[in-house]
Amino acid sequence: MVVNITRDGDIAVVTVDNPPVNALGQALRQGLWDAVATLDATADVRAVVLICAGRTFIAGADVTEFGKPPVPPHLPDLVDRIEGAAKPWVAAIHGSALGGGLEVAMGCRFRVALETAALGLPEVGLGIVPGASGTVRTPRLVGAAAAVELVTTGRPVKAERARAMGLVDAVVTGDLRTAAVAFARTALEAPLPLPVSARPVTAPDAAWWEDQHAAIAARAKGELAPLRALDCLRVAAERSLAEALAHERATFLALRGSDQAAALRHIFFAERAA
């Protein structure tokens, strides 16, 4: 079983166990999809903690699925399903929450992280943009400027910096499961914050976006993905949620089939093999 459900009183703990890096393969996506339905239907569960076994939180997409036809449940739908759950989910992050892993965490109502954790959206390094709301939810959590830095550089940030940005709600030490369950209980005593997708984002003016475009173009040296990611972030700040999600997905799919992305994937796999 790649997804297991246990209980700590009125808090359910959903544990992902898909070694080596808890990648978001089809079995894991389905397991999480089913867990939402199971726990929504369990009357005495008040909140859900999502935690991972092994050395890391969900570290991204399953790279063995790259270049193959996608199989449902698709990741954008899963993130929406977790966000729309009747019981609030709390992502408990250790190791790395990268790419799709961070997108899943942003679908949760809260995020807590061990002080050693790192969070990021490294997709531009593979010639693509985040494809499951990373460019849409990130500015709603951290604001446009921090989102541009995270998404267009692809560089992860450590937990304390993530907390300062607003990407995580708390940084904890000691036993992550214990701390996350305690956080969930405390959070239930106050009104819940809005789901991330429902939070407002302040749109910078056109001149600011033009300055960002010039700086990123100079840095990108011909790479398409960082500028396309910036474009997605601007749409997320200026248009409706539905338009922004559709634009991100279309951009992701267009880039995924590009020669640049294929070349960068080839390098990625060659480095892994070496």
Side-chain angles (χ1 to χ4, degrees), residues 21-25 28-29 50 56-63 66 75-76 78-79 91 93-108 111 118-126 128-138 141 150-151 153-157 167 248-249 252 268:
V21 295
N22 294 314
L24 280 159
L28 174 50
R29 297 194 304 274
L50 173 63
T56 185
F57 191 73
I58 298 165
D62 185 344
V63 292
F66 285 8
L75 185 56
L78 174 62
V79 175
I93 298 166
H94 77 295
S96 300
L98 300 176
L102 181 53
E103 289 170 314
V104 166
M106 288 193 287
C108 297
R111 286 145 298 285
L119 301 89
L121 294 161
E123 284 87 349
V124 293
L126 288 173
I128 56 176
V129 299
S133 80
T135 68
V136 180
R137 284 184 169 91
T138 306
L141 263 183
L150 272 171
V151 177
T153 69
R155 288 195 296 268
V157 294
L167 197 58
E248 178 195 76
R249 193 67 184 167
F252 168 80
F268 173 80

Side-chain angles (χ1 to χ4, degrees), residues 176-196:
L176 178 59
R177 176 185 165 128
T178 302
V181 168
F183 178 94
R185 286 214 169 91
T186 302
L188 288 168
E189 295 172 6
L192 291 175
L194 288 171
V196 174

Side-chain angles (χ1 to χ4, degrees), residues 193-214:
L194 288 171
V196 174
S197 68
R199 298 181 195 184
V201 55
T202 302
D205 63 21
W208 186 87
W209 291 107
E210 286 156 19
D211 289 345
Q212 298 302 310
H213 189 280

Side-chain angles (χ1 to χ4, degrees), residues 91 110-115 159-160 163 167-172 183:
F110 299 99
R111 286 145 298 285
V112 301
L114 277 182
E115 58 185 347
E160 199 51 60
R163 188 194 60 76
L167 197 58
V168 301
D169 299 287
V171 176
V172 300
F183 178 94

Side-chain angles (χ1 to χ4, degrees), residues 5-273:
I5 300 172
T6 54
R7 292 286 293 273
D8 189 318
D10 55 359
I11 309 297
V13 179
V14 172
T15 303
V16 167
D17 190 2
N18 187 30
V21 295
N22 294 314
L24 280 159
Q26 193 279 333
L28 174 50
R29 297 194 304 274
Q30 188 66 56
L32 290 173
W33 184 273
D34 295 342
V36 173
T38 298
L39 295 171
D40 275 0
T42 308
D44 60 342
V45 167
R46 296 178 65 219
V48 181
V49 168
L50 173 63
I51 197 165
C52 293
R55 67 176 192 259
T56 185
F57 191 73
I58 298 165
D62 185 344
V63 292
T64 65
E65 292 185 352
F66 285 8
K68 297 178 183 175
V71 180
H74 305 303
L75 185 56
D77 300 330
L78 174 62
V79 175
D80 287 345
R81 185 171 173 84
I82 289 171
E83 186 179 77
K87 318 292 172 75
W89 283 49
V90 179
I93 298 166
H94 77 295
S96 300
L98 300 176
L102 181 53
E103 289 170 314
V104 166
M106 288 193 287
C108 297
R109 197 64 63 98
F110 299 99
R111 286 145 298 285
V112 301
L114 277 182
E115 58 185 347
T116 52
L119 301 89
L121 294 161
E123 284 87 349
V124 293
L126 288 173
I128 56 176
V129 299
S133 80
T135 68
V136 180
R137 284 184 169 91
T138 306
R140 286 166 165 75
L141 263 183
V142 305
V148 166
E149 179 194 339
L150 272 171
V151 177
T152 68
T153 69
R155 288 195 296 268
V157 294
K158 296 299 269 186
E160 199 51 60
R161 174 94 199 283
R163 188 194 60 76
M165 296 167 90
L167 197 58
V168 301
D169 299 287
V171 176
V172 300
T173 56
D175 183 72
L176 178 59
R177 176 185 165 128
T178 302
V181 168
F183 178 94
R185 286 214 169 91
T186 302
L188 288 168
E189 295 172 6
L192 291 175
L194 288 171
V196 174
S197 68
R199 298 181 195 184
V201 55
T202 302
D205 63 21
W208 186 87
W209 291 107
E210 286 156 19
D211 289 345
Q212 298 302 310
H213 189 280
I216 292 163
R219 188 179 77 220
K221 298 183 174 63
E223 288 185 20
L224 298 172
L227 288 170
R228 297 297 296 275
L230 180 70
D231 176 55
C232 289
L233 289 162
R234 183 170 184 175
V235 170
E238 294 180 346
R239 299 195 212 158
S240 71
L241 177 72
E243 285 178 285
L245 289 169
H247 183 76
E248 178 195 76
R249 193 67 184 167
T251 303
F252 168 80
L253 292 171
L255 285 173
R256 190 177 67 177
S258 70
D259 292 343
Q260 258 190 29
L264 288 164
R265 274 201 301 276
H266 178 76
I267 293 167
F268 173 80
F269 284 120
E271 287 176 347
R272 271 172 63 110

